[in-house]
Amino acid sequence: MSALKSEETHGYTKIASYPKYQAYLIARKERPVLTKNYFLDKRIALLNYPTSRSGHIIPVQIFTELGLSLEKLDIVYARSHKEMRTLLYSGDVDIISSYWQAEDEALFSTNYRVPISSPVSGSSWYIKLTNRNDDLLCASQSMLLQLSTGQSQNYYKSLNLIPFAHCNVEKTIRS
């Protein structure tokens, strides 16, 4: 949305977003090293979603910058960040690319993680209003907030609503 300047050129309005987060390479037995030779003998789990920034896009960029082709790496594709953590914990892979969560501290050493990017912007929601439809905007925020509060992971509960003077969504839902 930012690259295309969609807010200005196409009339999209940002209504909510998740906070920024850090992407990491996380290993089970050692601190990962961001060198070409280091990755050649490692089994690496990536997310099987090419749109995932922390689980796919950023690590693939790192490998490309290091001159590594994906075909030369031993990559295991997982369906979720949770599945990648399970593969790492069981020793089926040596490294995963993911975000760090509080629950990880019980399973993995913070010394065996390496940040691989600047903080990643969280997902955002936009709405395109051809007319000033304040009821639709407020109802959309209300629905997003309800879905957010029903999530099990704290990160997904931390939805930030963009304040609009005519919407009183946050006070209504969270009180």
Side-chain angles (χ1 to χ4, degrees), residues 11 13 15 127-141 164 166-167:
T13 301
I15 63 170
I127 191 168
K128 184 174 183 172
L129 300 172
T130 51
N131 297 322
R132 203 58 221 156
N133 189 340
D134 293 342
D135 287 344
L136 177 60
L137 187 150
C138 297
S140 297
Q141 281 192 321
F164 293 96
H166 50 277
C167 290

Side-chain angles (χ1 to χ4, degrees), residues 73-136:
L73 296 172
D74 187 2
I75 296 177
V76 174
Y77 288 98
R79 293 178 301 233
S80 68
H81 287 276
K82 182 178 181 178
E83 183 179 340
M84 285 197 298
R85 282 168 170 75
T86 301
L87 290 168
L88 182 61
Y89 184 75
S90 67
D92 292 328
V93 298
D94 301 304
I95 303 168
I96 65 172
S97 180
S98 189
Y99 51 86
W100 186 262
Q101 57 189 11
E103 297 84 11
D104 290 337
E105 293 187 21
L107 302 174
F108 310 112
S109 171
T110 58
N111 293 322
Y112 297 161
R113 67 179 186 181
V114 174
I116 55 171
S117 70
S118 55
V120 178
S121 61
S123 298
S124 295
W125 281 263
Y126 293 81
I127 191 168
K128 184 174 183 172
L129 300 172
T130 51
N131 297 322
R132 203 58 221 156
N133 189 340
D134 293 342
D135 287 344
L136 177 60

Side-chain angles (χ1 to χ4, degrees), residues 6-166:
S6 296
E7 291 181 70
E8 298 91 26
T9 60
H10 292 89
Y12 285 94
T13 301
K14 186 177 190 177
I15 63 170
S17 65
Y18 284 113
K20 291 181 178 184
Y21 63 94
Q22 182 64 58
Y24 293 94
L25 288 178
I26 305 168
R28 196 166 70 97
K29 295 182 179 180
E30 63 186 355
R31 184 177 183 84
V33 180
L34 299 177
T35 64
K36 183 176 184 175
N37 287 338
Y38 178 79
F39 292 108
L40 291 175
D41 66 342
K42 301 292 186 254
R43 193 149 205 229
I44 305 161
L46 296 179
L47 209 52
N48 197 20
Y49 294 104
T51 57
S52 171
R53 287 172 281 181
S54 62
H56 192 93
I57 294 171
I58 294 170
V60 168
Q61 285 175 342
I62 298 285
F63 300 145
T64 302
E65 289 169 7
L66 292 172
L68 293 165
S69 68
L70 296 183
E71 293 78 30
K72 292 191 178 199
L73 296 172
D74 187 2
I75 296 177
V76 174
Y77 288 98
R79 293 178 301 233
S80 68
H81 287 276
K82 182 178 181 178
E83 183 179 340
M84 285 197 298
R85 282 168 170 75
T86 301
L87 290 168
L88 182 61
Y89 184 75
S90 67
D92 292 328
V93 298
D94 301 304
I95 303 168
I96 65 172
S97 180
S98 189
Y99 51 86
W100 186 262
Q101 57 189 11
E103 297 84 11
D104 290 337
E105 293 187 21
L107 302 174
F108 310 112
S109 171
T110 58
N111 293 322
Y112 297 161
R113 67 179 186 181
V114 174
I116 55 171
S117 70
S118 55
V120 178
S121 61
S123 298
S124 295
W125 281 263
Y126 293 81
I127 191 168
K128 184 174 183 172
L129 300 172
T130 51
N131 297 322
R132 203 58 221 156
N133 189 340
D134 293 342
D135 287 344
L136 177 60
L137 187 150
C138 297
S140 297
Q141 281 192 321
S142 178
M143 181 57 66
L144 287 170
L145 190 57
Q146 286 177 1
L147 292 170
S148 169
T149 57
Q151 297 299 311
S152 60
Q153 291 185 357
N154 286 334
Y155 178 79
Y156 294 111
K157 290 181 179 186
S158 61
L159 182 70
N160 300 312
L161 296 179
I162 306 303
F164 293 96
H166 50 277

